Amino acid sequence: MEQVILTNDLSSLAMDLPIRTGASSSFGLKESLIKQLLSSLHKHPDKRNVYGYLIEISAFKGIFSVMREIIENDAVLRNFLKDQLQDQYFPFEQTIRFLRNVLNHSTSSGLALKLEDYEVQRDFILSPKIQKTNHLNGAKIHLDFVYAEHIPERKGSKHYGIHLCLDFAAFKPGTPLERLVKWHDLYLLSELCFNLSQLADAKLKALKNTRKKTESPLKSRTKTIHSSRG
């Protein structure tokens, strides 16, 4: 949609836009403001769309924060992710944690790294136990996820996936996030989070229904023996 706005002057289509915020309340966007914004975007397609940029950041922040909370607090879904992702679970988890930290702690539009974004995580990755368990040799995390290998239900190219490398030992405060993770990769990772959540919902529901079907006949055939006292 943004590309359509950048390549076409849609300012003439602007009109007052009420956004319902409750049963008897709404927030209004004025025609003049919308018209000015559309015209500006069309005249300066080379400049970053601040409004769209903020929306993107908010979306990424929300998606990665929710996924991190799931990993942290929901044992059932965490185990599902481990089974589904196999050797890619650890790099996936560490990537999500890192991005969640940067997006939540950032106070600048450039999403510059702070030491608190990665210091504890870097030390965790470099700990002897984690190094041995995950067959690591340093603080580099490689996420090499291919759908065909882990989610065959998805149809399409057998090479489609996401490939990221994060070297926690090389991180420096002040480095813009976009130097470490391409904007396109943030979209790919968001897509993966969505697909995993959809797959988890479908598989866990199917498993629950299967258990109900196998338990019901047993319950119906089980008779309760009552003892009587004379």
Side-chain angles (χ1 to χ4, degrees):
M1 184 61 187
E2 182 177 359
Q3 193 59 36
V4 174
I5 294 173
L6 294 177
T7 55
N8 298 273
D9 186 359
L10 304 180
S11 59
S12 61
L13 302 178
M15 62 181 69
D16 288 341
L17 180 64
I19 301 174
R20 185 173 293 278
T21 57
S24 59
S25 62
S26 63
F27 179 84
L29 295 177
K30 295 295 184 181
E31 175 186 341
S32 58
L33 177 62
I34 297 175
K35 189 170 185 176
Q36 181 182 0
L37 175 60
L38 291 174
S39 179
S40 177
L41 291 173
H42 176 64
K43 289 179 180 178
H44 308 285
D46 55 318
K47 293 184 178 180
R48 170 162 263 169
N49 174 7
V50 176
Y51 301 96
Y53 178 66
L54 292 176
I55 291 173
E56 285 177 317
I57 291 176
S58 297
F60 293 143
K61 181 189 298 186
I63 292 170
F64 301 147
S65 292
V66 169
M67 183 56 70
R68 186 258 186 188
E69 290 301 316
I70 287 175
I71 292 173
E72 196 76 23
N73 302 309
D74 194 318
V76 174
L77 287 175
R78 181 170 62 249
N79 289 331
F80 167 82
L81 291 174
K82 287 182 178 180
D83 291 339
Q84 197 72 40
L85 298 177
Q86 297 294 319
D87 63 316
Q88 291 303 302
Y89 172 77
F90 182 75
F92 171 78
E93 176 197 11
Q94 294 304 311
T95 300
I96 290 295
R97 287 181 181 276
F98 169 67
L99 291 173
R100 179 264 179 194
N101 287 342
V102 175
L103 293 171
N104 277 275
H105 298 162
S106 181
T107 56
S108 66
S109 60
L111 301 177
L113 265 64
K114 296 180 180 178
L115 186 60
E116 64 185 88
D117 294 337
Y118 61 87
E119 184 179 32
V120 173
Q121 190 175 1
R122 178 197 61 200
D123 294 343
F124 169 76
I125 293 171
L126 287 172
S127 65
K129 180 180 179 181
I130 295 301
Q131 289 284 302
K132 182 178 180 180
T133 303
N134 294 280
H135 310 290
L136 300 175
N137 183 25
K140 281 188 178 181
I141 297 296
H142 295 272
L143 176 61
D144 292 307
F145 176 86
V146 178
Y147 277 90
E149 296 177 6
H150 299 279
I151 307 181
E153 292 88 347
R154 183 192 180 281
K155 306 303 179 183
S157 171
K158 62 180 181 180
H159 303 296
Y160 186 73
I162 178 171
H163 308 280
L164 283 174
C165 178
L166 298 173
D167 187 355
F168 283 79
F171 290 169
K172 294 181 179 180
T175 303
L177 178 63
E178 285 188 77
R179 287 189 187 176
L180 305 174
V181 182
K182 296 178 181 178
W183 210 250
H184 183 70
D185 288 332
L186 293 178
Y187 271 97
L188 292 177
L189 192 59
S190 298
E191 178 190 35
L192 176 56
C193 289
F194 173 78
N195 288 335
L196 286 171
S197 65
Q198 292 291 97
L199 188 62
D201 183 60
K203 286 195 172 184
L204 292 177
K205 278 184 179 179
L207 181 61
K208 187 176 181 180
N209 291 334
T210 300
R211 286 175 177 172
K212 283 184 178 180
K213 289 180 180 179
T214 56
E215 290 175 358
S216 295
L218 290 175
K219 289 182 179 180
S220 62
R221 290 198 298 268
T222 302
K223 295 182 179 180
T224 303
I225 300 176
H226 299 279
S227 61
S228 58
R229 295 181 180 179

PDB file of all heavy atoms in Angstrom, residues 112-137:
ATOM      1  N   ALA A 112      19.545   2.563  18.026  1.00  0.00           N
ATOM      2  CA  ALA A 112      20.947   2.328  18.349  1.00  0.00           C
ATOM      3  C   ALA A 112      21.081   1.390  19.541  1.00  0.00           C
ATOM      4  O   ALA A 112      20.316   1.469  20.506  1.00  0.00           O
ATOM      5  CB  ALA A 112      21.639   3.656  18.655  1.00  0.00           C
ATOM      6  N   LEU A 113      22.048   0.479  19.472  1.00  0.00           N
ATOM      7  CA  LEU A 113      22.264  -0.490  20.540  1.00  0.00           C
ATOM      8  C   LEU A 113      22.758   0.176  21.822  1.00  0.00           C
ATOM      9  O   LEU A 113      23.508   1.150  21.776  1.00  0.00           O
ATOM     10  CB  LEU A 113      23.301  -1.530  20.104  1.00  0.00           C
ATOM     11  CG  LEU A 113      22.777  -2.836  19.507  1.00  0.00           C
ATOM     12  CD1 LEU A 113      22.037  -2.569  18.215  1.00  0.00           C
ATOM     13  CD2 LEU A 113      23.930  -3.800  19.275  1.00  0.00           C
ATOM     14  N   LYS A 114      22.320  -0.387  22.933  1.00  0.00           N
ATOM     15  CA  LYS A 114      22.839  -0.012  24.242  1.00  0.00           C
ATOM     16  C   LYS A 114      23.484  -1.254  24.844  1.00  0.00           C
ATOM     17  O   LYS A 114      23.107  -2.381  24.514  1.00  0.00           O
ATOM     18  CB  LYS A 114      21.706   0.479  25.147  1.00  0.00           C
ATOM     19  CG  LYS A 114      21.023   1.747  24.665  1.00  0.00           C
ATOM     20  CD  LYS A 114      19.909   2.143  25.624  1.00  0.00           C
ATOM     21  CE  LYS A 114      19.213   3.411  25.164  1.00  0.00           C
ATOM     22  NZ  LYS A 114      18.096   3.795  26.066  1.00  0.00           N
ATOM     23  N   LEU A 115      24.431  -1.050  25.723  1.00  0.00           N
ATOM     24  CA  LEU A 115      25.134  -2.180  26.332  1.00  0.00           C
ATOM     25  C   LEU A 115      24.155  -3.118  27.028  1.00  0.00           C
ATOM     26  O   LEU A 115      24.307  -4.342  26.980  1.00  0.00           O
ATOM     27  CB  LEU A 115      26.180  -1.671  27.330  1.00  0.00           C
ATOM     28  CG  LEU A 115      27.105  -2.731  27.948  1.00  0.00           C
ATOM     29  CD1 LEU A 115      27.910  -3.445  26.865  1.00  0.00           C
ATOM     30  CD2 LEU A 115      28.041  -2.088  28.971  1.00  0.00           C
ATOM     31  N   GLU A 116      23.126  -2.557  27.641  1.00  0.00           N
ATOM     32  CA  GLU A 116      22.147  -3.368  28.369  1.00  0.00           C
ATOM     33  C   GLU A 116      21.313  -4.243  27.440  1.00  0.00           C
ATOM     34  O   GLU A 116      20.669  -5.196  27.883  1.00  0.00           O
ATOM     35  CB  GLU A 116      21.204  -2.465  29.169  1.00  0.00           C
ATOM     36  CG  GLU A 116      20.347  -1.560  28.302  1.00  0.00           C
ATOM     37  CD  GLU A 116      19.513  -0.582  29.104  1.00  0.00           C
ATOM     38  OE1 GLU A 116      20.018   0.516  29.396  1.00  0.00           O
ATOM     39  OE2 GLU A 116      18.368  -0.926  29.439  1.00  0.00           O
ATOM     40  N   ASP A 117      21.330  -3.939  26.127  1.00  0.00           N
ATOM     41  CA  ASP A 117      20.557  -4.724  25.165  1.00  0.00           C
ATOM     42  C   ASP A 117      21.139  -6.116  24.955  1.00  0.00           C
ATOM     43  O   ASP A 117      20.413  -7.043  24.590  1.00  0.00           O
ATOM     44  CB  ASP A 117      20.506  -4.018  23.803  1.00  0.00           C
ATOM     45  CG  ASP A 117      19.735  -2.714  23.844  1.00  0.00           C
ATOM     46  OD1 ASP A 117      18.893  -2.558  24.743  1.00  0.00           O
ATOM     47  OD2 ASP A 117      19.983  -1.854  22.977  1.00  0.00           O
ATOM     48  N   TYR A 118      22.440  -6.261  25.159  1.00  0.00           N
ATOM     49  CA  TYR A 118      23.080  -7.521  24.783  1.00  0.00           C
ATOM     50  C   TYR A 118      24.122  -8.051  25.766  1.00  0.00           C
ATOM     51  O   TYR A 118      24.556  -9.204  25.642  1.00  0.00           O
ATOM     52  CB  TYR A 118      23.752  -7.356  23.417  1.00  0.00           C
ATOM     53  CG  TYR A 118      24.836  -6.301  23.379  1.00  0.00           C
ATOM     54  CD1 TYR A 118      26.154  -6.604  23.726  1.00  0.00           C
ATOM     55  CD2 TYR A 118      24.551  -4.989  23.004  1.00  0.00           C
ATOM     56  CE1 TYR A 118      27.153  -5.635  23.697  1.00  0.00           C
ATOM     57  CE2 TYR A 118      25.538  -4.013  22.968  1.00  0.00           C
ATOM     58  CZ  TYR A 118      26.834  -4.340  23.314  1.00  0.00           C
ATOM     59  OH  TYR A 118      27.813  -3.382  23.286  1.00  0.00           O
ATOM     60  N   GLU A 119      24.527  -7.260  26.756  1.00  0.00           N
ATOM     61  CA  GLU A 119      25.627  -7.664  27.638  1.00  0.00           C
ATOM     62  C   GLU A 119      25.337  -8.968  28.379  1.00  0.00           C
ATOM     63  O   GLU A 119      26.144  -9.912  28.358  1.00  0.00           O
ATOM     64  CB  GLU A 119      25.932  -6.553  28.639  1.00  0.00           C
ATOM     65  CG  GLU A 119      27.135  -6.853  29.525  1.00  0.00           C
ATOM     66  CD  GLU A 119      27.428  -5.716  30.492  1.00  0.00           C
ATOM     67  OE1 GLU A 119      26.477  -5.027  30.925  1.00  0.00           O
ATOM     68  OE2 GLU A 119      28.616  -5.514  30.805  1.00  0.00           O
ATOM     69  N   VAL A 120      24.187  -9.047  29.044  1.00  0.00           N
ATOM     70  CA  VAL A 120      23.837 -10.248  29.811  1.00  0.00           C
ATOM     71  C   VAL A 120      23.674 -11.443  28.878  1.00  0.00           C
ATOM     72  O   VAL A 120      24.135 -12.555  29.176  1.00  0.00           O
ATOM     73  CB  VAL A 120      22.536 -10.016  30.611  1.00  0.00           C
ATOM     74  CG1 VAL A 120      22.074 -11.312  31.268  1.00  0.00           C
ATOM     75  CG2 VAL A 120      22.755  -8.943  31.671  1.00  0.00           C
ATOM     76  N   GLN A 121      23.040 -11.209  27.741  1.00  0.00           N
ATOM     77  CA  GLN A 121      22.821 -12.292  26.775  1.00  0.00           C
ATOM     78  C   GLN A 121      24.145 -12.787  26.197  1.00  0.00           C
ATOM     79  O   GLN A 121      24.345 -13.990  26.021  1.00  0.00           O
ATOM     80  CB  GLN A 121      21.901 -11.806  25.657  1.00  0.00           C
ATOM     81  CG  GLN A 121      21.420 -12.916  24.731  1.00  0.00           C
ATOM     82  CD  GLN A 121      20.409 -12.417  23.717  1.00  0.00           C
ATOM     83  OE1 GLN A 121      20.073 -11.237  23.677  1.00  0.00           O
ATOM     84  NE2 GLN A 121      19.919 -13.318  22.886  1.00  0.00           N
ATOM     85  N   ARG A 122      25.052 -11.872  25.922  1.00  0.00           N
ATOM     86  CA  ARG A 122      26.376 -12.246  25.407  1.00  0.00           C
ATOM     87  C   ARG A 122      27.108 -13.144  26.403  1.00  0.00           C
ATOM     88  O   ARG A 122      27.672 -14.186  26.028  1.00  0.00           O
ATOM     89  CB  ARG A 122      27.196 -10.987  25.148  1.00  0.00           C
ATOM     90  CG  ARG A 122      28.621 -11.240  24.657  1.00  0.00           C
ATOM     91  CD  ARG A 122      29.463  -9.990  24.822  1.00  0.00           C
ATOM     92  NE  ARG A 122      29.560  -9.592  26.229  1.00  0.00           N
ATOM     93  CZ  ARG A 122      29.900  -8.366  26.632  1.00  0.00           C
ATOM     94  NH1 ARG A 122      30.158  -7.419  25.754  1.00  0.00           N
ATOM     95  NH2 ARG A 122      29.971  -8.088  27.931  1.00  0.00           N
ATOM     96  N   ASP A 123      27.080 -12.751  27.681  1.00  0.00           N
ATOM     97  CA  ASP A 123      27.759 -13.539  28.710  1.00  0.00           C
ATOM     98  C   ASP A 123      27.107 -14.914  28.869  1.00  0.00           C
ATOM     99  O   ASP A 123      27.790 -15.912  29.128  1.00  0.00           O
ATOM    100  CB  ASP A 123      27.738 -12.792  30.045  1.00  0.00           C
ATOM    101  CG  ASP A 123      28.563 -11.512  29.998  1.00  0.00           C
ATOM    102  OD1 ASP A 123      29.390 -11.371  29.067  1.00  0.00           O
ATOM    103  OD2 ASP A 123      28.372 -10.643  30.876  1.00  0.00           O
ATOM    104  N   PHE A 124      25.788 -14.955  28.717  1.00  0.00           N
ATOM    105  CA  PHE A 124      25.060 -16.225  28.794  1.00  0.00           C
ATOM    106  C   PHE A 124      25.495 -17.155  27.664  1.00  0.00           C
ATOM    107  O   PHE A 124      25.776 -18.345  27.883  1.00  0.00           O
ATOM    108  CB  PHE A 124      23.558 -15.957  28.718  1.00  0.00           C
ATOM    109  CG  PHE A 124      22.718 -17.190  28.531  1.00  0.00           C
ATOM    110  CD1 PHE A 124      22.478 -18.054  29.587  1.00  0.00           C
ATOM    111  CD2 PHE A 124      22.157 -17.481  27.291  1.00  0.00           C
ATOM    112  CE1 PHE A 124      21.698 -19.196  29.419  1.00  0.00           C
ATOM    113  CE2 PHE A 124      21.380 -18.616  27.108  1.00  0.00           C
ATOM    114  CZ  PHE A 124      21.151 -19.476  28.173  1.00  0.00           C
ATOM    115  N   ILE A 125      25.562 -16.619  26.455  1.00  0.00           N
ATOM    116  CA  ILE A 125      25.955 -17.416  25.293  1.00  0.00           C
ATOM    117  C   ILE A 125      27.392 -17.926  25.428  1.00  0.00           C
ATOM    118  O   ILE A 125      27.713 -19.047  25.022  1.00  0.00           O
ATOM    119  CB  ILE A 125      25.805 -16.581  24.002  1.00  0.00           C
ATOM    120  CG1 ILE A 125      24.325 -16.291  23.737  1.00  0.00           C
ATOM    121  CG2 ILE A 125      26.417 -17.303  22.799  1.00  0.00           C
ATOM    122  CD1 ILE A 125      24.079 -15.295  22.624  1.00  0.00           C
ATOM    123  N   LEU A 126      28.253 -17.114  26.029  1.00  0.00           N
ATOM    124  CA  LEU A 126      29.663 -17.483  26.183  1.00  0.00           C
ATOM    125  C   LEU A 126      29.930 -18.392  27.381  1.00  0.00           C
ATOM    126  O   LEU A 126      31.063 -18.858  27.559  1.00  0.00           O
ATOM    127  CB  LEU A 126      30.516 -16.220  26.315  1.00  0.00           C
ATOM    128  CG  LEU A 126      30.712 -15.407  25.024  1.00  0.00           C
ATOM    129  CD1 LEU A 126      31.398 -14.084  25.334  1.00  0.00           C
ATOM    130  CD2 LEU A 126      31.516 -16.206  24.000  1.00  0.00           C
ATOM    131  N   SER A 127      28.914 -18.653  28.190  1.00  0.00           N
ATOM    132  CA  SER A 127      29.114 -19.524  29.353  1.00  0.00           C
ATOM    133  C   SER A 127      29.472 -20.932  28.883  1.00  0.00           C
ATOM    134  O   SER A 127      28.970 -21.406  27.858  1.00  0.00           O
ATOM    135  CB  SER A 127      27.848 -19.564  30.212  1.00  0.00           C
ATOM    136  OG  SER A 127      26.783 -20.168  29.505  1.00  0.00           O
ATOM    137  N   PRO A 128      30.359 -21.625  29.590  1.00  0.00           N
ATOM    138  CA  PRO A 128      30.815 -22.963  29.177  1.00  0.00           C
ATOM    139  C   PRO A 128      29.679 -23.947  28.921  1.00  0.00           C
ATOM    140  O   PRO A 128      29.727 -24.719  27.957  1.00  0.00           O
ATOM    141  CB  PRO A 128      31.680 -23.408  30.368  1.00  0.00           C
ATOM    142  CG  PRO A 128      32.179 -22.126  30.954  1.00  0.00           C
ATOM    143  CD  PRO A 128      31.044 -21.161  30.810  1.00  0.00           C
ATOM    144  N   LYS A 129      28.656 -23.913  29.764  1.00  0.00           N
ATOM    145  CA  LYS A 129      27.542 -24.852  29.611  1.00  0.00           C
ATOM    146  C   LYS A 129      26.813 -24.637  28.292  1.00  0.00           C
ATOM    147  O   LYS A 129      26.521 -25.595  27.559  1.00  0.00           O
ATOM    148  CB  LYS A 129      26.568 -24.696  30.783  1.00  0.00           C
ATOM    149  CG  LYS A 129      25.378 -25.642  30.708  1.00  0.00           C
ATOM    150  CD  LYS A 129      24.451 -25.454  31.895  1.00  0.00           C
ATOM    151  CE  LYS A 129      23.245 -26.384  31.792  1.00  0.00           C
ATOM    152  NZ  LYS A 129      22.314 -26.199  32.947  1.00  0.00           N
ATOM    153  N   ILE A 130      26.499 -23.384  27.974  1.00  0.00           N
ATOM    154  CA  ILE A 130      25.772 -23.074  26.738  1.00  0.00           C
ATOM    155  C   ILE A 130      26.642 -23.353  25.518  1.00  0.00           C
ATOM    156  O   ILE A 130      26.166 -23.855  24.492  1.00  0.00           O
ATOM    157  CB  ILE A 130      25.302 -21.604  26.740  1.00  0.00           C
ATOM    158  CG1 ILE A 130      24.285 -21.381  27.857  1.00  0.00           C
ATOM    159  CG2 ILE A 130      24.702 -21.218  25.401  1.00  0.00           C
ATOM    160  CD1 ILE A 130      23.039 -22.255  27.756  1.00  0.00           C
ATOM    161  N   GLN A 131      27.933 -23.049  25.630  1.00  0.00           N
ATOM    162  CA  GLN A 131      28.849 -23.319  24.526  1.00  0.00           C
ATOM    163  C   GLN A 131      28.878 -24.812  24.197  1.00  0.00           C
ATOM    164  O   GLN A 131      28.821 -25.204  23.028  1.00  0.00           O
ATOM    165  CB  GLN A 131      30.258 -22.844  24.892  1.00  0.00           C
ATOM    166  CG  GLN A 131      30.429 -21.337  24.933  1.00  0.00           C
ATOM    167  CD  GLN A 131      30.523 -20.711  23.556  1.00  0.00           C
ATOM    168  OE1 GLN A 131      31.386 -21.051  22.757  1.00  0.00           O
ATOM    169  NE2 GLN A 131      29.605 -19.793  23.261  1.00  0.00           N
ATOM    170  N   LYS A 132      28.937 -25.630  25.239  1.00  0.00           N
ATOM    171  CA  LYS A 132      29.010 -27.076  25.041  1.00  0.00           C
ATOM    172  C   LYS A 132      27.679 -27.651  24.569  1.00  0.00           C
ATOM    173  O   LYS A 132      27.632 -28.444  23.619  1.00  0.00           O
ATOM    174  CB  LYS A 132      29.427 -27.750  26.350  1.00  0.00           C
ATOM    175  CG  LYS A 132      29.584 -29.258  26.239  1.00  0.00           C
ATOM    176  CD  LYS A 132      30.044 -29.856  27.564  1.00  0.00           C
ATOM    177  CE  LYS A 132      30.202 -31.368  27.447  1.00  0.00           C
ATOM    178  NZ  LYS A 132      30.650 -31.968  28.741  1.00  0.00           N
ATOM    179  N   THR A 133      26.595 -27.231  25.214  1.00  0.00           N
ATOM    180  CA  THR A 133      25.271 -27.770  24.884  1.00  0.00           C
ATOM    181  C   THR A 133      24.868 -27.473  23.447  1.00  0.00           C
ATOM    182  O   THR A 133      24.272 -28.312  22.768  1.00  0.00           O
ATOM    183  CB  THR A 133      24.206 -27.185  25.836  1.00  0.00           C
ATOM    184  OG1 THR A 133      24.565 -27.483  27.187  1.00  0.00           O
ATOM    185  CG2 THR A 133      22.832 -27.773  25.534  1.00  0.00           C
ATOM    186  N   ASN A 134      25.203 -26.269  22.975  1.00  0.00           N
ATOM    187  CA  ASN A 134      24.772 -25.853  21.637  1.00  0.00           C
ATOM    188  C   ASN A 134      25.889 -25.912  20.594  1.00  0.00           C
ATOM    189  O   ASN A 134      25.730 -25.385  19.492  1.00  0.00           O
ATOM    190  CB  ASN A 134      24.205 -24.432  21.711  1.00  0.00           C
ATOM    191  CG  ASN A 134      22.932 -24.365  22.527  1.00  0.00           C
ATOM    192  OD1 ASN A 134      21.860 -24.693  22.050  1.00  0.00           O
ATOM    193  ND2 ASN A 134      23.059 -23.948  23.785  1.00  0.00           N
ATOM    194  N   HIS A 135      26.996 -26.552  20.970  1.00  0.00           N
ATOM    195  CA  HIS A 135      28.114 -26.763  20.042  1.00  0.00           C
ATOM    196  C   HIS A 135      28.587 -25.443  19.430  1.00  0.00           C
ATOM    197  O   HIS A 135      28.762 -25.324  18.208  1.00  0.00           O
ATOM    198  CB  HIS A 135      27.704 -27.737  18.930  1.00  0.00           C
ATOM    199  CG  HIS A 135      27.074 -29.002  19.434  1.00  0.00           C
ATOM    200  ND1 HIS A 135      27.787 -29.973  20.112  1.00  0.00           N
ATOM    201  CD2 HIS A 135      25.786 -29.442  19.399  1.00  0.00           C
ATOM    202  CE1 HIS A 135      26.982 -30.962  20.453  1.00  0.00           C
ATOM    203  NE2 HIS A 135      25.758 -30.668  20.040  1.00  0.00           N
ATOM    204  N   LEU A 136      28.789 -24.461  20.292  1.00  0.00           N
ATOM    205  CA  LEU A 136      29.222 -23.142  19.838  1.00  0.00           C
ATOM    206  C   LEU A 136      30.729 -22.988  19.994  1.00  0.00           C
ATOM    207  O   LEU A 136      31.372 -23.714  20.750  1.00  0.00           O
ATOM    208  CB  LEU A 136      28.509 -22.045  20.636  1.00  0.00           C
ATOM    209  CG  LEU A 136      26.981 -22.018  20.567  1.00  0.00           C
ATOM    210  CD1 LEU A 136      26.427 -20.955  21.503  1.00  0.00           C
ATOM    211  CD2 LEU A 136      26.513 -21.765  19.141  1.00  0.00           C
ATOM    212  N   ASN A 137      31.257 -22.019  19.286  1.00  0.00           N
ATOM    213  CA  ASN A 137      32.674 -21.683  19.410  1.00  0.00           C
ATOM    214  C   ASN A 137      32.795 -20.165  19.377  1.00  0.00           C
ATOM    215  O   ASN A 137      33.293 -19.581  18.420  1.00  0.00           O
ATOM    216  CB  ASN A 137      33.481 -22.320  18.278  1.00  0.00           C
ATOM    217  CG  ASN A 137      34.971 -22.055  18.429  1.00  0.00           C
ATOM    218  OD1 ASN A 137      35.460 -21.818  19.540  1.00  0.00           O
ATOM    219  ND2 ASN A 137      35.686 -22.064  17.316  1.00  0.00           N
TER     220      ASN A 137
END
